[in-house]
Amino acid sequence: MSDGQPEPETDEELEELLRFLRDARGFDFTGYKRSSLGRRIRKRMADADAASYADYRDRLETNADEFNALFNTILINVTSFFRDPEAWTFLQREVLPELLAQSGPDDEIRVWSAGCSSGEEAYSLAIMFAEALGLDETLERVKIYGTDVDEEALRDARSGLYPAKALEPLAPELRESYFEQNGARFGFRPDLRRRVIFGRHDITRDAPISRLDLLVCRNALMYFNVETQTQIVDRFHFALREGGFLFLGKAEMLLNDVDRFDVLSMRQRVFRRRPGEAAAPHVPAPVKIRAGMNSDVHTVARHRQLRDLILDATPSPAVAVDTEGTVIHVNNHARLQFGLTGNDVGRPFQDLEISYRPVELRSLIEQAGHERRTLRVNGAERRTSEDSQFFDILVQPLTGPDGLTVATNITFTDVTVATQLRSEIKRVREDLETAYEELQSTNEELETTNEELQSSIEELETTNEELQSTNEELETTNEELQSGNEELETMNEELRVRTEELDQARSFLEAVLTSIAAGVVVLDREFKVRSWSRGAVELWGLRSDEVLDRPFFGLDFGLPTEKLREAVQRCVEEREHGVPISVPAVNRLGRSIMCTVQFSPFDGRVRPPEPGRVGEPARGGVVLLMEETPATGSG
């Protein structure tokens, strides 16, 4: 460590591991802060007993399940309903009225929850709009997109099911209005759930959702380095319409973007997009017409019109995209099927919902152009508010005279009926086969069937427990700290209770000793004073702080202690009560008295012996009881 060489090697091994994750699974973590990223990876390495990054890469290559465990550790899913209530209150009271005032009564309101984790934030937005607009208008106008890179978290979000503990931040009337009990969990109301669309999206790489009124990305930017944060903010600026609002987390702010965002509340991290272009718009290259060809303009226009009519007449929806990623044609069926308009021609294809629903088409377009072959996707499911549709998608590169790809045509063939029919036939066939097998099994081996059913029930119960265990979210750093605080509070409470018990016991013992008129002195095995009662103070005039932890036989207080040494030693060694001894003494008033001293053995153990073990009792001390007797013949 003195020459500083191992640290760069470790950093290079981490970078090599990140490149491996990107190439093997498509997760690009190179934009994350190395401090937090390295800490999360090392935590998983410790759990997997991997000594180095190279060893852990070997583990990933041999165990595919380890990828999921690693991603769950890196992707910290910390969320809750209306997290940071003060910020949400500002959003409801100050931002939402202005947002609604800017949109027309029939305009669609588009909201994006980026990094939505298990969905609580997206559903909180749905509740907020339903409370402000009313349920019916929210169902008509509001569309909320919830995105994340964690597939497991997205599965939880899509289910809309949460335990009772997760609903504790909600007011009782909100729980009753927006959640229905489903077994041990509570499900978000289905009609409002259909207005929330969940999908996988990487804010560092994928094209943003556009034309947004509100973008919520809370406590996600803080995990990225400065360069990646800048790129993400650029995408967010492009995604928001003019006057749209950006809602960040407590740990994030836009100090260097005052020219693009106005600050509504720095405390609550709410910003408004200022007027101005997000980026240079795409302008298609103009068609160059040579001089002398003006007479053919009408012919060319007519041919183009006929071509568009022919494409519109094709029985399947079709969209054409040029090599720059710009939409150059949308036929009539595509406009009707996917809600597209003529204004979408000339827009970047990545801005259209059809580019990633029902399937990610941008990568397929790039692959088809690179490989110069037609790609086919069968049975892609597209969910709508009422039901699901299935399409066979054909991605066909179009080549020019020079053999180079000039555009890509995407054709959608609706196979919903055929898919549903195949699914129904398959289900019926499976039901018939199952019924036949069950009939044979019932006729031949009733007893075996009962045993198998019992085994199946036990397996289902086990599977259910495993699923419940799997659905529990990973604790984040904040949650770990919260858990630690709770444990400390529990320990403090236990210590407080024990302290009270000790105080009660001490008070009880002091009351007992105080009630005894005689002097009580407790000596340990080295004959040092361990206790000096108030009666001893009254008898000899020495305070307890003057004698505690001092040798008893070295004290000078009017009692000839040397006359007691033999009896004290005998009591300690034999562990039996000694015979009382009367010795002449002088009390604190200087009056001669006869002092009668009784000896009792004292067991000095502070914990009981182990059960079943027999041995010599631990040596303790001795208790001296001193009673004052007036000396005979005293004046």
Side-chain angles (χ1 to χ4, degrees), residues 137 242 291 391 479 549 570 585 594:
E137 189 172 352
E242 288 188 5
F391 294 92
E479 292 168 338
D549 294 327
R570 186 184 313 111
M594 287 298 294

Side-chain angles (χ1 to χ4, degrees), residues 566-586:
E566 182 179 352
V568 170
Q569 289 178 339
R570 186 184 313 111
C571 182
V572 170
E573 294 173 355
E574 297 178 359
R575 313 303 300 158
E576 293 181 355
H577 292 274
V579 178
I581 297 177
S582 296
V583 294
V586 179

Side-chain angles (χ1 to χ4, degrees), residues 82-98:
F82 294 103
R83 186 182 184 191
D84 297 331
E86 184 180 348
W88 280 91
T89 300
F90 179 85
L91 195 68
Q92 291 173 294
R93 295 180 179 176
E94 304 296 334
V95 176
L96 195 55
E98 185 175 346

Side-chain angles (χ1 to χ4, degrees), residues 358-611:
V359 71
E360 172 57 56
L361 291 175
R362 291 165 292 187
S363 59
L364 293 176
I365 292 173
E366 182 178 352
Q367 180 182 353
H370 179 71
E371 299 178 0
R372 297 185 181 181
R373 66 183 181 91
T374 300
L375 301 179
R376 187 182 186 90
V377 179
N378 294 323
E381 182 180 8
R382 180 175 183 265
R383 294 185 179 272
T384 61
S385 57
E386 290 84 15
D387 51 17
S388 296
Q389 295 175 307
F390 295 88
F391 294 92
D392 286 349
I393 303 175
L394 204 64
V395 182
Q396 183 179 14
L398 306 178
T399 57
D402 55 0
L404 299 178
T405 300
V406 296
T408 304
N409 188 51
I410 306 108
T411 305
F412 301 82
T413 303
D414 191 342
V415 294
T416 302
V417 176
T419 301
Q420 292 176 345
L421 182 60
R422 284 195 298 267
S423 177
E424 185 68 18
I425 293 174
K426 180 180 178 182
R427 186 185 65 79
V428 172
R429 182 184 294 117
E430 291 175 351
D431 290 344
L432 289 174
E433 291 176 354
T434 302
Y436 179 73
E437 292 175 357
E438 289 177 353
L439 181 60
Q440 278 190 326
S441 177
T442 302
N443 292 334
E444 294 175 0
E445 301 177 1
L446 287 175
E447 184 177 353
T448 303
T449 302
N450 290 332
E451 294 176 356
E452 290 176 352
L453 288 174
Q454 182 64 33
S455 176
S456 298
I457 292 173
E458 294 174 355
E459 290 176 358
L460 286 174
E461 291 177 352
T462 302
T463 303
N464 186 42
E465 294 177 358
E466 293 175 352
L467 287 174
Q468 289 180 350
S469 175
T470 303
N471 286 333
E472 294 179 358
E473 300 176 2
L474 293 172
E475 294 182 349
T476 63
T477 304
N478 290 336
E479 292 168 338
E480 292 170 359
L481 290 175
Q482 182 178 356
S483 176
N485 289 336
E486 291 175 355
E487 292 178 1
L488 288 175
E489 290 176 0
T490 301
M491 293 175 61
N492 288 336
E493 180 63 20
E494 293 176 354
L495 289 174
R496 186 187 64 77
V497 172
R498 292 185 180 180
T499 301
E500 290 178 355
E501 292 174 352
L502 288 174
D503 290 342
Q504 291 174 359
R506 184 180 297 107
S507 299
F508 176 76
L509 290 176
E510 289 179 354
V512 171
L513 292 177
T514 302
S515 65
I516 299 175
V520 179
V521 178
V522 180
L523 308 181
D524 61 13
R525 60 188 301 172
E526 281 81 23
F527 308 127
K528 291 183 179 180
V529 178
R530 306 300 297 174
S531 178
W532 188 269
S533 73
R534 184 174 297 178
V537 175
E538 295 293 332
L539 183 60
W540 306 117
L542 292 179
R543 299 189 309 273
S544 59
D545 57 351
E546 296 176 326
V547 299
L548 286 181
D549 294 327
R550 295 183 57 186
F552 177 72
F553 296 111
L555 298 177
D556 183 11
F557 58 92
L559 178 69
T561 56
E562 286 298 327
K563 294 181 179 181
L564 307 176
R565 183 186 292 273
E566 182 179 352
V568 170
Q569 289 178 339
R570 186 184 313 111
C571 182
V572 170
E573 294 173 355
E574 297 178 359
R575 313 303 300 158
E576 293 181 355
H577 292 274
V579 178
I581 297 177
S582 296
V583 294
V586 179
N587 64 10
R588 67 182 180 85
L589 300 177
R591 185 165 54 88
S592 297
I593 63 171
M594 287 298 294
C595 182
T596 302
V597 184
Q598 298 183 19
F599 308 91
S600 298
F602 170 67
D603 190 350
R605 292 179 298 195
V606 295
R607 62 177 64 178
E610 295 181 2

Side-chain angles (χ1 to χ4, degrees), residues 194-381:
R194 287 193 288 268
R195 305 304 298 174
V196 185
I197 302 168
F198 291 103
R200 188 186 184 282
H201 183 278
D202 188 345
I203 59 176
T204 66
R205 302 173 61 186
D206 297 332
I209 300 171
S210 60
R211 295 177 289 127
L212 297 173
D213 297 278
L214 173 62
L215 198 163
V216 180
C217 183
R218 311 197 67 218
N219 297 332
L221 295 179
M222 64 183 182
Y223 295 108
F224 299 102
N225 57 37
V226 175
E227 180 181 357
T228 306
Q229 287 182 7
T230 303
Q231 296 173 358
I232 294 173
V233 172
D234 289 342
R235 289 185 172 93
F236 286 174
H237 183 260
F238 174 83
L240 287 166
R241 62 168 178 79
E242 288 188 5
F245 298 92
L246 177 62
F247 184 23
L248 299 179
K250 288 290 187 182
E252 302 150 342
M253 60 183 64
L254 300 178
L255 295 179
N256 298 324
D257 284 280
V258 294
D259 57 332
R260 297 191 297 175
F261 290 93
D262 290 327
V263 179
L264 264 68
S265 172
M266 183 60 71
R267 176 181 177 84
Q268 307 304 339
R269 304 297 193 268
V270 180
F271 308 87
R272 182 198 293 113
R273 184 187 184 278
R274 301 184 65 181
E277 289 291 338
H282 175 79
V283 179
V287 178
K288 297 181 179 179
I289 302 178
R290 296 175 302 170
M293 294 186 63
N294 293 335
S295 60
D296 296 332
V297 170
H298 294 291
T299 302
V300 173
R302 178 170 177 79
H303 287 171
R304 182 176 302 165
Q305 182 182 18
L306 291 174
R307 181 198 63 189
D308 291 342
L309 290 174
I310 293 171
L311 292 174
D312 277 342
T314 55
S316 299
V319 178
V321 182
D322 65 12
T323 55
E324 301 296 328
T326 303
V327 178
I328 57 176
H329 180 76
V330 179
N331 75 352
N332 186 55
H333 285 82
R335 291 194 289 271
L336 296 175
Q337 183 71 60
F338 303 121
L340 303 175
T341 67
N343 294 330
D344 291 319
V345 176
R347 290 181 59 194
F349 181 62
Q350 65 182 14
D351 290 354
L352 304 183
E353 182 180 347
I354 193 65
S355 68
Y356 57 87
R357 289 186 67 221
V359 71
E360 172 57 56
L361 291 175
R362 291 165 292 187
S363 59
L364 293 176
I365 292 173
E366 182 178 352
Q367 180 182 353
H370 179 71
E371 299 178 0
R372 297 185 181 181
R373 66 183 181 91
T374 300
L375 301 179
R376 187 182 186 90
V377 179
N378 294 323
E381 182 180 8

